[in-house]
Amino acid sequence: MLVKNLTHKDYTTHGGFYQLKLPLNVECMIPNDDSVRLLGQIVEEMNLSKLYKTYSRLRKKQATPTQMLKIMLYAYMNSNYSTRKIERACKRDINYMYLLEGSPAPDYTTIARFRSIHFAPVSENLLAQFTQMLAENKEISMKNLFIDGTKLEAASNKYTFVWKGSVTKNQKKLMDKLPTFLKQTEENFGFKILYGEEIKMHHLKKLRRKLCKIKNDEDIQFVSGIGKRKSPLQKTFEQLDEYISRLKKYNKHLHLMGDRNSYSKTDPDATFMRMKEDAMKNGQLKPGYNIQFGVDAEYIVWISAGPQPTDTTTLIPFLDSIKSRLKYTYRNIVADSGYESEENYVYLDENGQLAFIKPSNYEISKTRKYKTDISRKENMSYDKENDFYICSSGKKLVATGIKFSKSKTGYRSEKTCYTCEDCTQCPIKSKCIKGNSKKPLEERTKHLEVSKLFQQKREAAITRILSDEGKELRMNRSIQSEGAFGEIKQDMGFRRFLCKGKKNILAECILLGLAHNVNKLHNKIQSERCSTYLHPLKTA
């Protein structure tokens, strides 16, 4: 049977064969308990004045910033992160049409610009508003904050790395060549460049100007191509240009890197880290960001992003950002062993907060190997009044001095040094003194460095986490903070950023956090679990 070719551009000109039949009001097709209605109500209650200020002007017959925020959040709620797919959904999905309220569907470039240009500058303000809204409705406890971090891969190629060690090594090689090169150039062309102990960029540029003057004065023509011989001046000039170019490149790399050990050429804010997703099983480093979540009553109340490969140095900046944005302070800070440090303990005490942080040696301290290791100070007797340790051989380790150390963040800690009075005839010396040293074992003496302040804070933290309250909070940390990452990575399928730059990836994280919170609130309403903050501790 022949099929008639359908070539009409206007698909509604030939009657009901092409006419799409829908009710005039799509709202009647959406269930009353759909999460899209809850999202619309939440966004309407927000103060979006700062979002509107990011626009120079608003055009008529296009989606408003409020509607754009709604469709972005709804897309993230349904694991739709591609701007092209969001554009397609706005044309086909009645829930998106309901949020657009009759406005035309925005194209993918408009959606991408909204995410990076308009939403990113006000993302933290909107998250703070949502968290405050939850607090006013008593959906969060405002008492217990569960903190955890994860690493997410950046939108950058894994082979675009720049390593600080390699850059500094090559820079040093270049700087070692420069004195000989300058001296040889001065002898060949009969002038003098004054420089001190270190040759800097302006010295090389001054040398280049002098070579240019010689070229112009003597009317020397530079040549190129096969069969043409370069003059000594041209060879020196080209060598100098190469050195200047390399030195500029190394300086640029070090400037972009800052305190980090690496960065990506296509996303300079990303740092190379080890990820949990290791397909090749070889520990390959990938460009990524360390994302921190603060969770309360299963809601993500705050988010931060940084280049730190470990969680230890992220706690204080994270809590400072919460303090600057939220109107209340959390009393109990619950985190895993990756956040333990003397600096963090001191910070929490100074701010009147309780640290429920599991010590880094908590799990290993339960093992038989740890308990029978005589080299550890935990397995030695300590006389608090006279301030000395007694080892397994009954010999004293007395205090011999104080050592100060400074961390990368600038924190200054004090450690007391203890040294054994006599280790010469000790029969168990090989089990007590460990580590590599150029000295033979017979000449070595047992030495300990102990931070008394850190030991005091750790003991107080252990007492707290072993209490009934501490056990309940530690169990909830595993469920709530790690559960939030599990939902975003596994359920929502977000494992790699789409944007580049710290500001844009933080905006992506906040979109995810807001979408997660709306879904969580909707689920709690449907399951009648509102205003429940902690999961009860299970007992046998």
Side-chain angles (χ1 to χ4, degrees):
M1 185 178 71
L2 295 176
V3 179
K4 186 178 180 180
N5 290 333
L6 306 178
T7 58
H8 297 287
K9 293 183 179 180
D10 187 353
Y11 298 147
T12 61
T13 57
H14 282 259
F17 185 79
Y18 297 100
Q19 180 65 50
L20 180 63
K21 295 181 180 179
L22 282 176
L24 296 177
N25 187 4
V26 297
E27 184 178 355
C28 64
M29 298 184 65
I30 300 174
N32 292 331
D33 59 350
D34 198 294
S35 60
V36 71
R37 296 182 181 273
L38 176 63
L39 170 64
Q41 180 183 348
I42 290 172
V43 175
E44 289 294 338
E45 292 179 5
M46 284 183 171
N47 180 7
L48 302 180
S49 59
K50 291 187 177 181
L51 178 63
Y52 275 79
K53 286 181 181 178
T54 61
Y55 288 83
S56 59
R57 65 189 180 95
L58 296 174
R59 293 188 178 92
K60 294 181 180 179
K61 295 184 180 181
Q62 73 169 13
T64 65
T66 303
Q67 293 165 350
M68 291 294 296
L69 178 60
K70 288 179 182 179
I71 63 171
M72 284 299 297
L73 288 175
Y74 190 70
Y76 274 68
M77 286 168 60
N78 291 276
S79 308
N80 189 0
Y81 311 118
S82 167
T83 55
R84 293 178 186 270
K85 290 182 179 179
I86 296 173
E87 177 191 358
R88 193 179 307 125
C90 289
K91 296 175 180 178
R92 299 179 179 180
D93 195 313
I94 60 170
N95 284 9
Y96 287 87
M97 296 177 187
Y98 165 73
L99 295 174
L100 284 171
E101 300 173 352
S103 298
D107 59 16
Y108 69 94
T109 55
T110 303
I111 297 169
R113 283 197 302 269
F114 174 81
R115 181 168 56 189
S116 59
I117 298 176
H118 302 293
F119 178 78
V122 300
S123 57
E124 290 182 296
N125 176 267
L126 296 179
L127 179 60
Q129 283 192 52
F130 193 97
T131 301
Q132 191 62 36
M133 192 183 299
L134 292 173
E136 291 171 358
N137 288 278
K138 298 182 180 180
E139 275 297 309
I140 56 177
S141 67
M142 296 179 284
K143 178 184 177 183
N144 305 314
L145 182 65
F146 306 101
I147 300 176
D148 200 4
T150 193
K151 295 168 188 173
L152 286 175
E153 189 176 349
S156 179
N157 191 291
K158 58 187 175 182
Y159 299 112
T160 58
F161 46 77
V162 179
W163 304 107
K164 178 177 278 189
S166 177
V167 172
T168 52
K169 178 182 176 182
N170 291 330
Q171 187 186 47
K172 186 178 182 304
K173 286 182 179 179
L174 175 60
M175 298 304 291
D176 291 341
K177 291 179 181 178
L178 290 178
T180 305
F181 174 75
L182 260 68
K183 184 178 179 182
Q184 187 66 39
T185 304
E186 290 170 349
E187 291 176 358
N188 292 342
F189 299 100
F191 55 76
K192 188 71 176 176
I193 299 292
L194 298 177
Y195 56 89
E197 296 180 356
E198 183 181 359
I199 298 173
K200 297 183 179 179
M201 181 66 73
H202 66 87
H203 296 130
L204 298 180
K205 290 182 177 180
K206 185 177 180 180
L207 176 61
R208 192 178 189 277
R209 288 195 297 269
K210 286 185 175 293
L211 294 177
C212 283
K213 188 174 184 303
I214 294 174
K215 174 180 178 292
N216 295 330
D217 292 344
E218 299 181 7
D219 195 20
I220 299 175
Q221 298 297 322
F222 287 175
V223 297
S224 62
I226 299 174
K228 295 181 181 179
R229 187 180 299 276
K230 295 180 181 179
S231 63
L233 178 65
Q234 183 177 355
K235 291 180 180 178
T236 305
F237 199 91
E238 291 177 354
Q239 186 68 50
L240 177 61
D241 279 349
E242 182 193 348
Y243 287 161
I244 291 175
S245 175
R246 286 171 58 188
L247 190 58
K248 282 182 179 179
K249 182 178 71 172
Y250 298 150
N251 291 339
K252 179 184 176 182
H253 287 330
L254 294 175
H255 175 72
L256 289 173
M257 226 170 297
D259 297 332
R260 298 176 290 164
N261 291 323
S262 63
Y263 80 92
S264 170
K265 293 177 184 177
T266 52
D267 186 2
D269 290 341
T271 307
F272 279 78
M273 311 174 183
R274 280 190 171 84
M275 305 287 177
K276 290 183 179 178
E277 295 83 8
D278 186 9
M280 300 299 292
K281 305 293 183 183
N282 59 356
Q284 186 181 30
L285 300 177
K286 296 179 182 178
Y289 294 89
N290 192 347
I291 309 302
Q292 299 292 314
F293 278 6
V295 182
D296 181 7
E298 300 179 42
Y299 297 101
I300 301 172
V301 296
W302 199 248
I303 300 172
S304 73
Q308 303 94 330
T310 59
D311 293 332
T312 310
T313 57
T314 62
L315 182 65
I316 295 177
F318 183 79
L319 295 177
D320 283 338
S321 62
I322 290 180
K323 192 185 300 182
S324 64
R325 291 285 186 173
L326 302 184
K327 297 179 180 179
Y328 53 88
T329 302
Y330 280 93
R331 177 176 173 269
N332 299 330
I333 306 300
V334 190
D336 63 8
S337 58
Y339 295 86
E340 190 196 28
S341 72
E342 181 182 326
E343 183 180 4
N344 292 342
Y345 281 138
V346 172
Y347 174 88
L348 293 174
D349 283 350
E350 290 176 350
N351 288 273
Q353 296 172 303
L354 295 179
F356 288 85
I357 300 176
K358 186 168 71 172
S360 56
N361 66 343
Y362 182 74
E363 296 298 335
I364 196 173
S365 64
K366 299 177 183 179
T367 61
R368 181 183 299 177
K369 182 180 179 181
Y370 186 94
K371 293 177 181 179
T372 57
D373 189 352
I374 62 173
S375 66
R376 297 185 178 274
K377 63 180 182 298
E378 290 84 1
N379 297 325
M380 299 180 186
S381 303
Y382 178 64
D383 189 328
K384 191 173 182 179
E385 293 182 2
N386 299 312
D387 191 21
F388 62 81
Y389 286 88
I390 301 176
C391 70
S392 299
S393 296
K395 297 181 180 180
K396 293 182 181 179
L397 280 79
V398 297
T400 55
I402 294 176
K403 178 182 177 182
F404 295 94
S405 60
K406 199 172 184 180
S407 66
K408 290 183 179 179
T409 58
Y411 178 77
R412 194 165 178 262
S413 61
E414 177 184 312
K415 294 182 179 179
T416 306
C417 300
Y418 295 87
T419 307
C420 184
E421 295 176 329
D422 185 20
C423 286
T424 51
Q425 302 298 326
C426 182
I428 54 175
K429 191 174 183 178
S430 59
K431 295 181 180 179
C432 186
I433 300 178
K434 296 182 180 180
N436 298 324
S437 176
K438 294 181 179 178
K439 281 187 177 181
L441 183 63
E442 294 77 15
E443 299 178 11
R444 296 174 65 184
T445 305
K446 182 65 177 176
H447 182 76
L448 291 177
E449 292 181 1
V450 181
S451 173
K452 295 182 180 180
L453 179 61
F454 178 66
Q455 287 296 113
Q456 177 189 348
K457 302 295 184 185
R458 172 179 273 187
E459 289 171 4
I462 291 175
T463 303
R464 278 193 290 270
I465 66 173
L466 292 179
S467 64
D468 292 338
E469 181 187 17
K471 292 176 182 177
E472 185 180 31
L473 292 178
R474 277 195 297 141
M475 183 198 73
N476 276 272
R477 189 205 68 80
S478 300
I479 296 172
Q480 296 194 27
S481 61
E482 294 182 11
F485 283 122
E487 289 179 13
I488 284 176
K489 282 186 167 184
Q490 189 65 32
D491 298 347
M492 299 173 70
F494 191 90
R495 293 180 177 271
R496 192 172 189 265
F497 289 110
L498 301 175
C499 301
K500 295 180 180 180
K502 183 180 175 181
K503 183 180 73 171
N504 290 333
I505 67 101
L506 179 60
E508 272 196 277
C509 289
I510 290 177
L511 277 172
L512 285 167
L514 291 172
H516 169 271
N517 289 346
V518 176
N519 281 333
K520 182 62 67 176
L521 179 59
H522 177 255
N523 292 336
K524 280 194 168 186
I525 292 172
Q526 298 304 314
S527 59
E528 298 181 353
R529 289 197 307 116
C530 292
S531 300
T532 55
Y533 309 134
L534 296 174
H535 295 271
L537 186 65
K538 294 181 181 180
T539 55

